[in-house]
Amino acid sequence: MTCLLTRRNALALGAAAVLARPALAAVKRPVIVELFTSQGCSSCPPADAYFKALKDQPDVVALSYHVDYWDYLGWRDTLGSPECSQRQYDYAKSRGDKNVYTPQTIINGGGHFVGSQRARVSSGIDVARSETETNWVDMEMTHNNTDISISIPAGKPISEATLWLMAFTPHVSTEIKKGENAGHTVDYFNVVRKMVPAGMWHGEAAKIVLPKGSVVPESCKGWVALLQEGTVGRVIVAVTGGASPNA
């Protein structure tokens, strides 16, 4: 069965359905690590430094998001955006708690940890590595000069899942001149600069085509497609394109 992934902005970007293909054999998924951080947070630099070590692990896909709710402290985060803040709030809503803070690390769209607490984050990653994912599907992504194509084979029926495309800049070094981190230069890695909710999925095989120029800013050299339960929730599958997030 072929299904068009439907969401208004996906349609505006030119999403298209094509004939389905059979599901492929499941493979072990990578661990998805998302760090919510801020240039205006004095507790964040240790987490940002640890994040570099995490993103270098070959079985980890690590993405960082800069929130904007600490901008009032005296320094406007040059990488921050309300969309990143909203994603963090949406995670808290999905979990049913009010735990929104920085630095916050979320693993596989589920458990959250203080991003600078290395032992706890590492333990959370180890637990994620050992989990058996029953909803895994072997999603594939290809690209050319103009388009990004994402193919999702048929999987276990699900009430709703969202396909996200996250475009990231591999490395940004920022001199912070005001606020709690004034006088420091901090290196940030795999910084998400654009998030596109590309469509919805309910278990049917489908393919979506996105115009690369509309979803990947020039500053971004790589991108990650995440299929998540609900709007933001447990990660079902992730695939990468462009520059490797482990580089």
Side-chain angles (χ1 to χ4, degrees):
M1 176 178 179
T2 300
C3 174
L4 177 65
L5 296 177
T6 57
R7 181 167 279 199
R8 288 183 181 178
N9 53 355
L11 292 173
L13 290 170
V18 298
L19 294 177
R21 58 181 176 78
L24 300 177
V27 295
K28 185 173 178 61
R29 68 176 183 176
V31 178
I32 312 306
V33 175
E34 297 177 273
L35 172 66
F36 291 87
T37 186
S38 172
Q39 295 171 4
C41 161
S42 61
S43 301
C44 286
D48 299 319
Y50 179 41
F51 181 81
K52 181 182 185 302
L54 292 178
K55 70 96 178 173
D56 288 340
Q57 298 182 26
D59 64 341
V60 168
V61 172
L63 298 169
S64 64
Y65 305 82
H66 284 245
V67 301
D68 66 346
Y69 49 76
W70 295 127
D71 287 359
Y72 76 94
L73 293 177
W75 176 256
R76 184 175 180 178
D77 193 312
T78 60
L79 302 170
S81 73
E83 290 80 12
C84 289
S85 299
Q86 187 61 53
R87 181 171 177 82
Q88 189 181 23
Y89 281 110
D90 287 344
Y91 265 128
K93 181 178 179 180
S94 175
R95 293 191 306 266
D97 60 42
K98 297 181 180 179
N99 290 310
V100 173
Y101 55 88
T102 55
Q104 184 179 47
T105 294
I106 297 175
I107 298 175
N108 280 353
H112 63 94
F113 306 85
V114 176
S116 56
Q117 295 182 351
R118 297 190 175 209
R120 291 188 177 183
V121 173
S122 179
S123 178
I125 292 173
D126 287 340
V127 169
R129 287 185 174 119
S130 67
E131 291 176 344
T132 300
E133 180 49 69
T134 58
N135 286 338
W136 172 273
V137 292
D138 195 17
M139 186 166 70
E140 295 181 345
M141 180 164 57
T142 60
H143 67 98
N144 54 34
N145 290 336
T146 59
D147 299 313
I148 295 173
S149 300
I150 304 169
S151 299
I152 311 174
K156 183 179 179 180
I158 186 171
S159 59
E160 181 176 281
T162 303
L163 177 67
W164 291 90
L165 188 79
M166 309 298 193
F168 66 87
T169 299
H171 177 217
V172 179
S173 184
T174 302
E175 181 184 358
I176 302 172
K177 299 179 180 180
K178 297 180 181 179
E180 293 186 349
N181 292 316
H184 294 275
T185 297
V186 183
D187 291 316
Y188 301 103
F189 299 91
N190 293 357
V191 181
V192 173
R193 304 298 288 145
K194 187 161 187 173
M195 297 181 285
V196 176
M200 307 304 296
W201 185 73
H202 303 278
E204 306 93 338
K207 182 173 181 177
I208 185 169
V209 179
L210 301 172
K212 185 187 288 186
S214 297
V215 298
V216 180
E218 289 186 6
S219 63
C220 297
K221 305 304 180 184
W223 51 91
V224 177
L226 294 177
L227 187 62
Q228 297 186 262
E229 295 177 359
T231 302
V232 294
R234 295 289 299 178
V235 176
I236 299 171
V237 62
V239 292
T240 64
S244 169
N246 306 113

